[in-house]
Amino acid sequence: MKQEEIKKTRKDLFIHFFIGVGIFITAILFHRLGSKRSTPQTLWFFVGVLGSILTVYAGNRLLKFYKFLKNNNY
């Protein structure tokens, strides 16, 4: 891999990771501070689950990428 490809891949993975973290934090805040009716609470719960899954998935790919770089001496 070229240095430019490594930077682009790292940037893409970090963007997805931070979007997931942002969605998760937003969902937690709206769930705790938002409307106490059941429909918005359920919606924000599922958005929080989506954000946590996105964060874990992107974080896992990021760790695998760093392991790949380490194993191939980049």
Side-chain angles (χ1 to χ4, degrees):
M1 289 182 89
K2 294 181 183 178
Q3 197 68 12
E4 298 161 0
E5 293 172 338
I6 292 172
K7 286 181 182 179
K8 185 179 184 307
T9 305
R10 184 181 298 144
K11 179 183 172 187
D12 289 343
L13 291 173
F14 272 122
I15 288 172
H16 291 157
F17 180 76
F18 287 122
I19 287 174
V21 169
I23 289 172
F24 182 69
I25 290 173
T26 304
I28 294 288
L29 289 175
F30 274 97
H31 183 73
R32 298 293 291 162
L33 304 174
S35 176
K36 300 302 177 195
R37 295 189 326 235
S38 62
T39 304
Q41 289 286 316
T42 306
L43 173 72
W44 288 112
F45 171 74
F46 287 120
V47 171
V49 170
L50 173 72
S52 64
I53 289 172
L54 183 61
T55 302
V56 168
Y57 179 71
N60 187 27
R61 287 181 54 202
L62 193 62
L63 290 174
K64 285 183 180 181
F65 179 67
Y66 280 124
K67 283 183 183 179
F68 170 77
L69 290 178
K70 184 178 177 183
N71 290 339
N72 292 322
N73 297 323
Y74 282 108

